[in-house]
Amino acid sequence: MTDIAEIPVDEQEHPLSPPPRPMRSALTDGPILRTLLSLAWPNVVALSAGTCVVIAETSYIGRLGVEALAAMALVFPTVILTMTMSGGAMGGAVASAIARALGAGDRERAGTLAAHALLIGITFGVVFMLGMLIFGPQVLTMLGGRGEVLTHAIAYTQVFFGGAVLPWLLNTMAGVLRGTGNMKLPSLLMLNSAVMQVVLGGTLGLGLGPVPQFGMRGVAAGSLIAYSMNICVMGWFLFSGRARIVPKLRGLRIQWAMFFDILKVGAIACFSPLQSVLTISIFTHMLAKFGTAILAGYGIGARLEFLLTSIAFSFGIASVPMIGMAVGAGRIARARRIAWIAGASAFVAVGAPACLVALFPDLWVNIFTDSATVRATSHQYLSTVAPFYAFIGLASTMYFSSQGAAKVIGPVLAQTARLTYIATCGWWLSTHDATAQNFFWLAASSMVVLGLLSCSSVVLTRWGPRATKPAVRPALSVVD
């Protein structure tokens, strides 16, 4: 009896190579929740250390004087924007592209993508450097910098953004490693960087021991030195072959398709931190008319939001390689399950401590102030808004999960909707003699809007690449 089997061949009737076998690992085949938690916990530790750096820097910069402290507040938004763009937006896009290539079993493509990612990181770093060195003083003046405060802010900006390539390169390398599923080394180096920033920034800024006092320039230099040392460690790990892939720089041929694979996610994702900063700025401006006590109370609550959002980031960035590899392997149903499990985990992990603080606000407020007026405002803000921080955690996870699937435009548009909601409703409240409590409810409801729209975007967006089959025709083979 004779069976007829079809063998795919090309136009010259040569048999085609079999498709690459998808990469099998815990990320693609392991239990979802356990794998997610194993990837998330190193990020939680590292990001908690980053929060400690912010507190420590505020402490020793305060010793340089009130003007220096005000200057740090002035440059903080631009620094945070740099770090969130390079680490969360573009870094997540890099991790997504590499994870999708590995999920499809194409290590060669993953190495080439890593090399192109490094070029993107260097280019964006140069753009930030030139932009802030040329236009930085004008930007700081527009933000309200005057006199000695402006002088200190410019001094910090000149040093930090003079080396803006370093944080971009560091976060790009971290994105490459995270795309392979390696969360521990980037997190360990973030922890190391946090310790070094505190030690070096404090020593150079305050002039401890035999080291002269460099002021704000020294604080900025401490950060850059820490970044440089960690770049050396991460670069050695990547190029020594100890990672799953090696960036292919030798004989590299520029391929625009590789740039597009990263930028189609990263360029769009960069609008999210931009809109987030703009939303916070608009809301802060609206609250400023109620006086210093209200603004200070809001600031204490916002610090808690910043801390808890880092937990959501940990779950979100952990989902990127898992979803990316699943999508690359064509396992879309698993990718969506990962997204929902990560979202639910972040919702609980952020919402539980936030609700605890809402019930017992002194647990948080007592850390920052003894002022009875500020404490009362903080209690009011936290009891109203804190229970809804869980929706911020949910939205953040949906944003990163969509990066893993290379379909990030939905969560970015959700952020746009929140910005529009805050601006429109805030304007209406401002023209109708609204109270501060009304604005607090506006903040809370905007979080619900962001969370629900981000989830809706994941539900409505088609994940997975559109199938493009090569032009082949079968040849007949007789099998006895």
Side-chain angles (χ1 to χ4, degrees), residues 85-102 109-110 113-121 168-180 238 245 258-259 261-267 269 317 320-321 324 403-404:
M85 272 195 175
S86 60
M90 198 61 71
V94 170
S96 169
I98 289 174
R100 282 181 278 115
L102 290 176
R109 178 180 176 84
L113 279 168
H116 284 75
L118 295 177
L119 294 178
I120 291 174
W168 271 93
L169 189 57
L170 178 67
N171 284 324
T172 301
M173 288 183 171
V176 171
L177 286 175
R178 285 173 174 144
T180 68
L238 275 171
I245 60 172
M258 299 291 173
F259 286 132
D261 199 9
I262 297 171
L263 292 176
K264 71 179 181 182
V265 177
I317 200 68
V320 171
Q403 279 191 324

Side-chain angles (χ1 to χ4, degrees), residues 321-414:
M322 294 179 67
I323 291 174
M325 290 186 184
V327 169
R331 302 174 64 182
I332 307 304
R334 176 179 171 86
R336 289 191 177 276
R337 285 198 301 272
I338 294 169
W340 295 124
I341 291 173
S345 301
F347 189 89
V348 173
V350 173
C355 288
L356 179 65
V357 173
L359 294 173
F360 306 101
D362 285 337
L363 293 173
W364 181 254
V365 177
N366 286 347
I367 299 174
F368 299 97
T369 183
D370 294 324
S371 169
T373 307
V374 176
R375 285 166 59 86
T377 303
S378 299
H379 287 188
Q380 184 183 13
Y381 179 83
L382 289 171
S383 63
T384 303
V385 181
F388 298 95
Y389 284 165
F391 287 92
I392 292 291
L394 179 62
S396 177
T397 312
M398 292 298 101
Y399 166 75
F400 281 106
S401 295
S402 298
Q403 279 191 324
K407 303 289 184 180
V408 78
I409 191 168
V412 172
L413 289 177

Side-chain angles (χ1 to χ4, degrees), residues 207-218:
L208 302 179
V211 179
Q213 180 175 325
F214 292 100
M216 294 294 284
R217 287 187 172 88

Side-chain angles (χ1 to χ4, degrees), residues 42 61 138 215 293 303 453:
I61 288 174
Q138 292 92 321
R303 285 190 181 96
L453 288 179

Side-chain angles (χ1 to χ4, degrees), residues 64 112 120 134 166 257 292 296-297 301 337 339 365 413 454 458 472:
L64 296 174
T112 306
I120 291 174
I134 296 172
L166 297 177
T292 305
R337 285 198 301 272
V365 177
L413 289 177
S454 298
V458 172
V472 299

